[in-house]
């Protein structure tokens, strides 16, 4: 049966084309909606899927095990051990600031006074000394320790040359500061070549020839004994 279109036949053909375009547009819109819906469902499923936990060893729950697990999770690498010890260099011996300041005000001739140091030391061992005109009571008090030692010089490890210079500077500094009683540790000299206590003898001989020295004797047993000498100086 043939359909009859009222009116103009050209208008009928246009209406059919428009209808076909609308149907195609509707189909495309439905496909886009279906694709968007599927994408939304896939995203929802992915969001609901739990993330896998780190593959950690099954360790007992101790503090050390928890620490190790955290280090593994953070990919912390241990520091390589070294067989070399970190040794600190020894610090230089401190120099008393007071001594430096005092020596700066001492005349040079006093700092370099080495009275009797280079004299012959084969004159016997001077155990004690008392200058002429000084009462014997002075040496007795010195031996009993009634004079308090105010400064000490240790000559261990020194050569005869360095010991001579240290002794001269030490006595000059003590005189400048008004110190009366000093102690000088010279050692017993048991390890000296030939068994002769060279520095010990030189120290005592030099002290006996210094005008500022009134008396000296062996230190007490607790203060060095025969390895040290206690010296009484003139008052300034």
């Amino acid at each position: 049966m043939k359909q009859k279109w009222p009116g103009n036949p050209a208008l009928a053909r246009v209406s059919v084309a428009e209808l076909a375009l609308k149907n195609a547009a509707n189909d495309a819109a439905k496909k886009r909606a279906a694709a968007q819906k599927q994408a939304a469902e896939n995203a929802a499923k992915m969001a609901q899927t739990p993330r896998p936990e780190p593959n950690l060893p099954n360790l007992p729950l101790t503090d050390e095990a928890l620490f190790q697990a955290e280090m593994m999770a953070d990919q912390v690498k241990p520091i390589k051990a070294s067989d070399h010890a970190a040794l600190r260099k020894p610090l230089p011996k401190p120099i008393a600031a007071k001594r430096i300041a005092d020596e700066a005000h001492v005349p040079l001739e006093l700092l370099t006074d080495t009275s009797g140091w280079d004299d012959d030391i084969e004159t016997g061992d001077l155990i004690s000394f008392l200058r002429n005109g000084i009462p014997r009571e002075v040496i007795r008090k010195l031996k009993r320790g009634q004079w308090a030692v105010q400064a000490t010089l240790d000559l261990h490890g020194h050569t005869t040359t360095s010991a001579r210079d240290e002794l001269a500077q030490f006595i000059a500094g003590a005189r400048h500061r008004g110190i009366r009683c000093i102690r000088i540790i010279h050692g017993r000299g048991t390890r000296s070549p030939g068994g002769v206590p060279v520095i010990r003898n030189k120290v005592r001989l030099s002290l006996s020839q210094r005008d500022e020295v009134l008396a000296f004797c062996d230190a007490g047993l607790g203060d060095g004994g025969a390895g040290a000498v206690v010296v009484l100086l003139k008052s300034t």
Side-chain angles (χ1 to χ4, degrees):
M1 179 178 179
K2 294 182 179 181
Q3 295 183 358
K4 294 181 179 180
W5 296 92
N8 193 341
L11 293 176
R13 289 194 297 271
V14 171
S15 299
V16 173
E18 290 178 352
L19 180 61
L21 290 174
K22 288 182 179 179
N23 291 336
N26 291 335
D27 291 341
K30 290 179 180 180
K31 290 180 180 180
R32 286 197 300 271
Q36 292 176 355
K37 181 179 180 181
Q38 185 64 39
E41 291 177 354
N42 292 339
K45 289 180 180 180
M46 291 180 64
Q48 294 176 359
T49 303
R51 294 183 180 179
E53 296 292 334
N55 186 19
L56 301 179
N58 187 17
L59 300 175
L61 296 179
T62 62
D63 291 342
E64 183 177 358
L66 292 174
F67 175 77
Q68 293 293 340
E70 291 179 0
M71 294 299 101
M72 292 177 63
D74 294 337
Q75 298 182 351
V76 177
K77 296 181 179 180
I79 300 175
K80 294 182 179 180
S82 175
D83 56 353
H84 298 285
L87 301 179
R88 295 181 59 187
K89 294 183 179 180
L91 298 176
K93 294 183 178 180
I95 301 176
K98 178 64 176 174
R99 178 178 173 183
I100 295 176
D102 288 339
E103 290 179 356
H105 294 85
V106 178
L108 181 61
E109 60 269 18
L110 294 181
L111 291 175
T112 57
D113 183 7
T114 58
S115 300
W117 187 268
D118 296 321
D119 292 349
D120 184 8
I121 62 173
E122 296 180 1
T123 56
D125 186 13
L126 288 172
I127 298 176
S128 62
F129 167 79
L130 181 67
R131 188 162 301 283
N132 291 334
I134 304 299
R136 296 291 304 174
E137 183 65 19
V138 171
I139 192 70
R140 285 195 290 267
K141 289 183 178 180
L142 195 62
K143 290 180 178 180
R144 288 196 294 264
Q146 293 183 347
W147 288 90
V149 174
Q150 299 169 283
T152 299
L153 172 65
D154 190 349
L155 294 177
H156 279 110
H158 283 276
T159 64
T160 55
T161 301
S162 62
R164 176 195 62 195
D165 297 339
E166 285 290 321
L167 178 64
Q169 294 176 15
F170 178 67
I171 293 178
R175 291 274 291 163
H176 181 71
R177 296 194 294 270
I179 292 176
R180 296 291 311 279
C181 187
I182 61 176
R183 177 178 57 187
I184 302 167
I185 303 173
H186 45 57
R188 298 174 183 269
T190 55
R191 298 181 182 179
S192 300
V196 178
V198 178
I199 292 183
R200 180 181 188 275
N201 290 351
K202 282 183 172 292
V203 166
R204 298 194 178 213
L205 180 60
S206 177
L207 290 174
S208 68
Q209 299 188 24
R210 289 177 172 272
D211 291 337
E212 62 268 35
V213 175
L214 298 180
F216 66 75
C217 64
D218 285 350
L221 294 178
D223 295 323
V229 60
V230 178
V231 185
L232 182 64
L233 303 175
K234 285 182 180 181
S235 60
T236 54

